[in-house]
Amino acid sequence: MNSTPTNDNPFAGDSSGIQQRETAARWGLRVGSYIVVLITVAIMLHIFVKGAPVVFRSQWPFVNTQFLTELPATLHVIEDQQGNHIETDVNGADAVKKKLGDHFRAEKTISYSGGGILGPIVGTALLVIVSVGVALFLGVACAIYLSEYAKHGKFLEMVRLAILNLAGVPSVVFGLFGLGAFVLTAPRFVGVPAERSVFAIPLGFTTISFEGWDTCVLSGGFTLAFVILPVIITASEQCLQAVPQGFRETSMALGATRWQTIRYSVLPFATPGILTSSILGIARAAGETAPIMFTAALAFKDKLPWQKDLPPLPADASIFAHWEQSVSRFLGIFTESVQALPYHIYTLAAKIPQNEYAERAQYGSVFVFLVLVASLAASSVLLRKRLRAKYRW
Amino acid sequence: MSADPTVKTTPPPVVQVRDMDFCYGTSKALFDINLQVEYHRVTALIGPSGCGKSTLLRCINRMNDRVPSARVTKGEVLVKGKNIHDADVDLTQLRKQVGMVFQKSNPFPKSIYENVAYGLRIHGEKNKNALDEAVERSLTHAALWEELKDRLQANALALSGGQQQRLCIARAIATVPDVLLMDEPCSALDPISTLKIEELMHQLAKEFTVVIVTHNMQQAVRVSDYTAFLHLGKLVEFAPTEELFTNPREKLTEAYLRGTFS
Ligand SMILES: Nc1ncnc2c1ncn2[C@@H]1O[C@H](COP(=O)(O)OP(=O)(O)O)[C@@H](O)[C@H]1O
Ligand SMILES: [Mg+2]
């Protein structure tokens, strides 16, 4: 149309609509991206606006220390005749009522919403330690085997497929598996097997009884380990594969055995990536609710895992007895059930009647949780940067 | 070597390849190879790309074992008189005594010192003095000591390409191998670095036996005492370098040397 000889622009575009389609495509993609960004920002802002006031104070020390250092408790709210609300815990309620006397109008109790969230924080930390420890050990071993030892072929393909499938299994399935495997059947050493024991092998001085570990940190941690295992295996294998083949060849050509080669010229250069991926695994493990619901988490617990009543030692107890008790106290941490942040949030949001006090506790917990996860992610990025600078090729 | 010092015996070849066939899975890569490598000589393997030079070289330290389903299907390889495929051959000891330098210089991203000490460390050397000594000796052999003696702790990746390749040579000779295998060690280097490594080759031959793969015929002329010409997996001609280049016996060799290759 516009390519008439009178037109002296030899590069004039035609009007077939290609330009319009180009513009439409660009705007379509751009709008999509903006929506994603917008929603992300909205989520963050929402949690910040509602959660930050719970955690921060306008006066020194600017942080609501009670929220971070106390266990969750039932909140008592007492209303006086003027309509003022006084918040207190179960111990303070009577004193407040007495003081108000005739001014007392009504009392409300809101479960789990008072006190702080130290219990859930500690529980989540313990679960993360166990799960990441187990998953790193199994995952890195598996990745090394797959990447450095296994012969390529059908079997390897099947193992890879299995691992990918594991990543696609809904986490509630892991929860049920953990219940069956770790809570109810995992082997333990006992004097006398419990009645529910599936199978017992007497060894004389003790018995290996397949009677499970009960709901505890160990059961939950192992279950979570299997949730994050695919992530860790896949990422570790990628990191191992990223180490140049030349390093392996050179090392072998110098007479190193396969394990020496892995130990001295593959693993050191893959570790930064493996650590980074494991930190992301931490975030994942910390956030899962379903796998710990049946295996480790309690809605309420009035003690921290190490606050257990052990029989007091006699005054003349040997140093060995003290030492033994400390060890059993330490090990006992892992055989206790705990509260955990995601499960606490779930309880606050879904298990108790909603009101302003419950909502406040919810958003406070969510805010703390997000800050923890964000700082983990940030530290993984920092760690990767520093290690990369040290080991680059 | 012999009991009677008045009788001059030539030592047996350090590497002997006898009637060897080599296969990658079902495809044969080397046919009926016979090759003798003499002590303290530089032997060059030349031939068009894909003719099996690297494969032959890697048969000598059994690096081909790393390739699944690759194996020698006929004949044998003897190093220092021992069949290296015997069951009682420890691969780590074989490779300690048959060092290798690769085409792509690949120092570990560790310090210069650690790179050179690597081979000794994995063979269990813990003595600091012995390590220091070996590092100095190897770097001196590789003509790097003067340049690098003040920054042994610097990362090896900070070196230039030519220095990196010489470092790889130092790393390979730190365990004092009898044979040093080099697979196109200069093909990724600039002319000046190449020259330095070629000069080095003559020095190295005094201490070690060198087998070098090269696609550069001039290089073979400059550095080697013997040359083997391979074509399509067959060893066409093996002769003293001068003889092979001035007076080739085989038509194929002549055609290759003239560059009129079909
Ligand atoms: N890992 C391997 N697997 C299968 N075939 C290979 C492998 N390496 C080399 N080959 C084949 O063996 C032949 C010789 O290769 P190579 O020894 O690398 O030749 P050159 O070093 O002379 O260029 C080529 O045809 C090549 O395709
Ligand atoms: Mg080659």
Side-chain angles (χ1 to χ4, degrees):
Chain A
M1 226 192 267
N2 53 3
S3 59
T4 49
T6 50
N7 193 336
D8 48 332
N9 177 4
F11 308 119
D14 62 16
S15 51
S16 65
I18 194 166
Q19 295 293 343
Q20 285 88 327
R21 283 202 296 278
E22 184 65 18
T23 314
R26 187 169 71 238
W27 273 100
L29 299 172
R30 182 178 283 184
V31 167
S33 314
Y34 285 174
I35 290 174
V36 171
V37 172
L38 212 73
I39 292 176
T40 312
V41 170
I43 294 173
M44 294 294 172
L45 263 184
H46 176 73
I47 290 167
F48 185 80
V49 166
K50 295 214 168 181
V54 183
V55 179
F56 295 115
R57 287 271 173 279
S58 55
Q59 280 118 27
W60 177 258
F62 302 114
V63 177
N64 183 353
T65 47
Q66 182 200 10
F67 191 67
L68 297 177
T69 57
E70 281 184 14
L71 295 173
T74 302
L75 183 69
H76 289 248
V77 180
I78 293 161
E79 192 180 349
D80 67 11
Q81 296 291 0
Q82 282 83 42
N84 295 322
H85 291 172
I86 302 159
E87 294 173 32
T88 180
D89 59 13
V90 64
N91 302 320
D94 284 338
V96 172
K97 272 189 273 188
K98 200 179 249 168
K99 196 168 136 235
L100 285 177
D102 286 348
H103 294 288
F104 173 81
R105 187 196 278 167
E107 180 181 1
K108 249 199 305 196
T109 62
I110 305 107
S111 323
Y112 316 131
S113 303
I117 55 168
L118 182 62
I121 292 177
V122 166
T124 288
L126 287 173
L127 286 168
V128 162
I129 289 169
V130 172
S131 62
V132 172
V134 172
L136 261 189
F137 179 77
L138 289 179
V140 173
C142 179
I144 290 177
Y145 183 76
L146 290 183
S147 144
E148 309 291 326
Y149 286 92
K151 294 229 168 25
H152 293 263
K154 278 247 158 56
F155 177 70
L156 198 64
E157 289 309 307
M158 258 166 55
V159 173
R160 288 231 167 75
L161 203 66
I163 292 167
L164 274 181
N165 272 324
L166 201 62
V169 172
S171 53
V172 67
V173 176
F174 283 100
L176 285 173
F177 168 76
L179 174 66
F182 303 117
V183 178
L184 298 176
T185 30
R188 64 193 292 177
F189 294 106
V190 292
V192 183
E195 212 169 299
R196 66 161 195 273
S197 175
V198 178
F199 187 66
I201 310 169
L203 293 179
F205 58 97
T206 180
T207 306
I208 301 179
S209 168
F210 288 78
E211 60 183 59
W213 299 335
D214 284 335
T215 50
C216 67
V217 172
L218 224 47
S219 301
F222 271 75
T223 310
L224 281 175
F226 282 87
V227 176
I228 60 174
L229 207 48
V231 183
I232 293 202
I233 294 176
T234 313
S236 303
E237 214 190 332
Q238 274 165 8
C239 297
L240 290 168
Q241 288 298 319
V243 176
Q245 281 298 330
F247 291 3
R248 297 178 178 84
E249 288 240 297
T250 306
S251 174
M252 302 281 254
L254 285 165
T257 61
R258 204 177 272 247
W259 172 244
Q260 280 177 323
T261 298
I262 294 166
R263 173 74 189 71
Y264 298 113
S265 24
V266 178
L267 267 189
F269 311 117
T271 310
I274 293 177
L275 285 184
T276 311
S277 70
S278 71
I279 291 182
L280 294 179
I282 295 179
R284 175 89 200 277
E288 286 288 351
T289 316
I292 56 172
M293 232 152 43
F294 325 118
T295 56
L298 287 179
F300 183 74
K301 188 167 167 104
D302 59 356
K303 278 187 185 139
L304 290 170
W306 51 84
Q307 292 170 336
K308 198 158 47 170
D309 296 322
L310 293 176
L313 288 173
D316 60 343
S318 67
I319 247 210
F320 180 73
H322 280 284
W323 184 77
E324 194 184 284
Q325 192 169 62
S326 306
V327 169
S328 77
R329 190 179 286 278
F330 174 76
L331 292 180
I333 292 174
F334 298 99
T335 55
E336 286 287 303
S337 48
V338 288
Q339 287 182 284
L341 272 175
Y343 191 60
H344 186 62
I345 293 165
Y346 164 73
T347 311
L348 288 172
K351 290 288 195 61
I352 62 171
Q354 294 300 292
N355 56 42
E356 54 182 306
Y357 301 103
E359 188 185 285
R360 193 181 64 188
Q362 264 168 49
Y363 279 103
S365 310
V366 169
F367 181 76
V368 169
F369 185 53
L370 263 194
V371 168
L372 286 178
V373 170
S375 44
L376 275 178
S379 61
S380 97
V381 172
L382 280 180
L383 185 73
R384 176 164 51 184
K385 262 204 172 141
R386 296 212 16 202
L387 290 173
R388 274 280 154 81
K390 198 169 154 209
Y391 291 115
R392 61 178 320 128
W393 54 83
Chain B
M1 264 203 186
S2 72
D4 180 358
T6 58
V7 179
K8 267 214 150 169
T9 54
T10 46
V14 58
V15 177
Q16 292 168 274
V17 181
R18 292 185 189 155
D19 308 325
M20 187 188 72
D21 280 6
F22 185 90
C23 292
Y24 286 113
T26 52
S27 83
K28 211 173 224 188
L30 293 175
F31 300 83
D32 208 30
I33 303 286
N34 278 287
L35 182 74
Q36 273 87 42
V37 178
E38 304 289 343
Y39 272 103
H40 298 297
R41 294 286 180 274
V42 178
T43 303
L45 306 180
I46 62 169
S49 109
C51 69
K53 305 180 296 289
S54 301
T55 304
L56 176 54
L57 193 75
R58 292 160 66 93
C59 281
I60 302 175
N61 65 349
R62 282 181 60 186
M63 277 305 277
N64 285 322
D65 286 19
R66 278 174 56 75
V67 182
S69 84
R71 69 201 174 279
V72 172
T73 51
K74 194 192 96 199
E76 54 192 12
V77 181
L78 278 67
V79 176
K80 296 166 84 179
K82 174 77 180 165
N83 184 343
I84 60 172
H85 289 98
D86 279 352
D88 60 346
V89 167
D90 181 356
L91 264 191
T92 64
Q93 287 304 320
L94 172 69
R95 289 175 182 161
K96 185 182 171 191
Q97 294 169 47
V98 182
M100 188 160 196
V101 174
F102 296 85
Q103 176 171 6
K104 194 169 160 282
S105 69
N106 44 14
F108 298 123
K110 305 180 184 198
S111 71
I112 292 165
Y113 185 98
E114 283 306 323
N115 264 282
V116 182
Y118 188 91
L120 291 165
R121 280 202 201 280
I122 56 173
H123 285 104
E125 182 61 73
K126 293 207 175 67
N127 185 317
K128 180 88 172 67
N129 288 335
L131 287 174
D132 287 351
E133 231 168 73
V135 168
E136 177 171 351
R137 177 174 42 72
S138 311
L139 286 175
T140 310
H141 269 313
L144 274 173
W145 179 249
E146 287 305 318
E147 289 165 60
L148 299 182
K149 64 181 176 195
D150 298 323
R151 46 188 188 120
L152 292 178
Q153 295 311 321
N155 193 311
L157 294 185
L159 301 176
S160 73
Q163 284 175 321
Q164 289 193 5
Q165 191 59 297
R166 276 182 286 152
L167 181 69
C168 291
I169 294 175
R171 181 172 62 184
I173 60 181
T175 55
V176 203
D178 296 84
V179 185
L180 186 59
L181 309 175
M182 299 178 139
D183 193 350
E184 306 199 21
C186 304
S187 65
L189 300 182
D190 58 277
I192 294 180
S193 307
T194 302
L195 198 67
K196 277 191 179 158
I197 289 187
E198 288 181 4
E199 281 167 11
L200 202 59
M201 219 80 76
H202 295 290
Q203 297 298 317
L204 289 172
K206 289 181 186 152
E207 297 274 332
F208 314 99
T209 305
V210 179
V211 184
I212 179 173
V213 167
T214 175
H215 61 248
N216 177 338
M217 285 183 272
Q218 273 64 50
Q219 185 169 64
V221 174
R222 285 192 296 264
V223 303
S224 71
D225 304 302
Y226 292 91
T227 299
F229 169 56
L230 279 86
H231 183 242
L232 295 178
K234 298 196 175 75
L235 198 149
V236 177
E237 188 165 350
F238 176 52
T241 301
E242 220 184 286
E243 203 179 306
L244 187 128
F245 277 88
T246 54
N247 193 10
R249 265 174 288 137
E250 301 288 331
K251 279 248 154 34
L252 206 55
T253 318
E254 198 185 338
Y256 182 66
L257 295 179
R258 274 210 319 267
T260 57
F261 217 65
S262 50

